[in-house]
Amino acid sequence: MKRVAAIDCGTNSVRLLIADLSADGLADVDRRMEIVRLGEGVDRTGRLAPEALERTFAALRGYANLIQKHTRAGERIPVRVVATSATRDAENRDEFVTGVREIFGVDPEVISGAEEAHLSFTGATRGLGPQVAPEGGPYLVTDIGGGSTEFVVGTDRVEGALSVDIGCVRLTERHLAGDPPDPAEVRAAVADIDAALDRVEAAVPVRRARTLVGLAGSVTTVAGIALGLPAYEPERIHHSRIPAEQVHAVTERLLRMPRAERAAIPVMHPGRVDVIGGGALILDRIVERYGFREVLVSEHDILDGIAWSLG
């Protein structure tokens, strides 16, 4: 058994997974998430804001302490830090790299959209079987992040992948300013999403997929709302299957709600309140455009893929 630490620095959140890897699989030791909005304003300015960097570094210092806490005597835990859309797009990403190096003693990897897609696919599809996904493969794995969304098609291996610059934070900053957004803002967001989905369909065999697997906080939050959960319960959300009609109903409901009502939803993380409408809309358009009857929701994603890569 080998203990590893995986860290995912996304546009909206930073997440940690400390896990034990063995021939039997991946066993969680500690799994954490903090919303720091690292990518705040990056779509407009092209730079990581000083306040966003400091929020992120504060969270990562806490993660470094947790890794130390879970390090057994005589052991050295390998750490892999991955940064995605916001950092890829930022002119001053060297500031982020330097800060992470000082905290963990390793350089973060500012990975490409293609590598992000492959890691997400690995994390999401390990362990999928007929009981969980009766339709089987090929799978379309969609990871809806803050700054980008990854699309990967495959069964035992990746057959096609593409990352596009639509995410819940980026879409909200571009289009969804109202509280709640007005119909014109929603139409502009839909046009932006649909243009990206056209690019995806031209590059990735999405129509061959039999099962849609949805990842990340926007998807799991929509699932929690659809399931009517009294609180966020990962074990009930993981591998739930949400029908297309419910995805659409939840999305319409979220887009009609003012911020205060969204904040009162039991499964809603405070850091998702202002961007959940954009994330739900991306999921809804994927389901509608590609003709899926449901989405299979996974709590396992790029973070798990990073951990597997350390084996």
Side-chain angles (χ1 to χ4, degrees):
M1 191 175 294
K2 177 182 181 182
R3 184 157 292 179
V4 300
I7 297 163
D8 169 36
C9 298
T11 300
N12 200 39
S13 64
V14 291
R15 300 181 302 144
L16 167 72
L17 173 60
I18 302 171
D20 287 333
L21 281 174
S22 70
D24 295 327
L26 189 69
D28 287 16
V29 174
D30 204 340
R31 191 183 287 257
R32 303 289 180 102
M33 186 272 288
E34 289 193 41
I35 292 183
V36 296
R37 199 61 59 82
L38 174 61
E40 184 174 16
V42 166
D43 190 58
R44 176 176 51 84
T45 67
R47 297 181 62 82
L48 298 168
E51 300 84 359
L53 284 166
E54 188 45 51
R55 290 193 300 267
T56 302
F57 293 153
L60 294 179
R61 291 184 197 105
Y63 289 171
N65 291 335
L66 285 169
I67 293 169
Q68 184 61 38
K69 174 185 172 183
H70 289 294
T71 301
R72 296 170 291 211
E75 179 185 53
R76 180 184 174 277
I77 296 180
V79 178
R80 186 179 182 191
V81 184
V82 161
T84 54
S85 176
T87 312
R88 278 198 302 269
D89 296 345
E91 296 172 1
N92 61 332
R93 66 183 184 180
D94 287 349
E95 295 176 39
F96 172 81
V97 171
T98 299
V100 171
R101 184 189 303 124
E102 290 173 355
I103 294 168
F104 294 108
V106 299
D107 284 349
E109 300 172 48
V110 184
I111 61 173
S112 67
E115 174 69 3
E116 185 176 356
H118 279 69
L119 289 170
S120 294
F121 183 82
T122 299
T125 59
R126 285 215 180 196
L128 286 186
Q131 288 187 325
V132 174
E135 295 292 327
Y139 306 107
L140 170 59
V141 175
T142 57
D143 186 345
I144 301 174
S148 66
T149 296
E150 281 64 54
F151 296 80
V152 197
V153 171
T155 305
D156 299 323
R157 61 179 180 82
V158 172
E159 298 171 22
L162 188 69
S163 176
V164 291
D165 283 342
I166 52 167
C168 62
V169 174
R170 198 185 297 265
L171 205 66
T172 301
E173 290 183 351
R174 282 180 183 175
H175 304 295
L176 304 175
D179 183 28
D182 63 40
E185 290 175 328
V186 174
R187 286 196 298 271
V190 167
D192 202 354
I193 296 165
D194 284 355
L197 296 184
D198 287 341
R199 296 196 298 275
V200 172
E201 190 165 3
V204 179
V206 290
R207 301 284 180 179
R208 290 192 58 241
R210 300 175 64 187
T211 300
L212 172 64
V213 184
L215 317 182
S218 291
V219 177
T220 58
T221 301
V222 168
I225 297 169
L227 293 169
L229 299 182
Y232 193 91
E233 300 178 50
E235 66 282 356
R236 292 183 63 184
I237 291 170
H238 185 51
H239 288 167
S240 61
R241 299 204 294 268
I242 309 302
E245 311 84 68
Q246 283 190 273
V247 171
H248 186 66
V250 170
T251 300
E252 288 206 323
R253 177 182 163 199
L254 288 168
L255 289 170
R256 288 196 303 266
M257 283 181 170
R259 180 187 176 92
E261 289 185 22
R262 295 194 302 272
I265 296 172
V267 300
M268 187 71 67
H269 189 287
R272 296 201 192 284
V273 172
D274 58 334
V275 298
I276 186 60
L281 190 59
I282 294 169
L283 177 61
D284 187 42
R285 294 307 300 155
I286 293 168
V287 171
E288 171 69 21
R289 284 287 302 275
Y290 299 150
F292 288 101
R293 294 193 301 270
E294 65 180 13
V295 57
L296 172 64
V297 179
S298 178
E299 287 275 353
H300 295 174
D301 52 27
I302 185 174
L303 194 60
D304 301 77
I306 297 166
W308 280 112
S309 75
L310 290 166

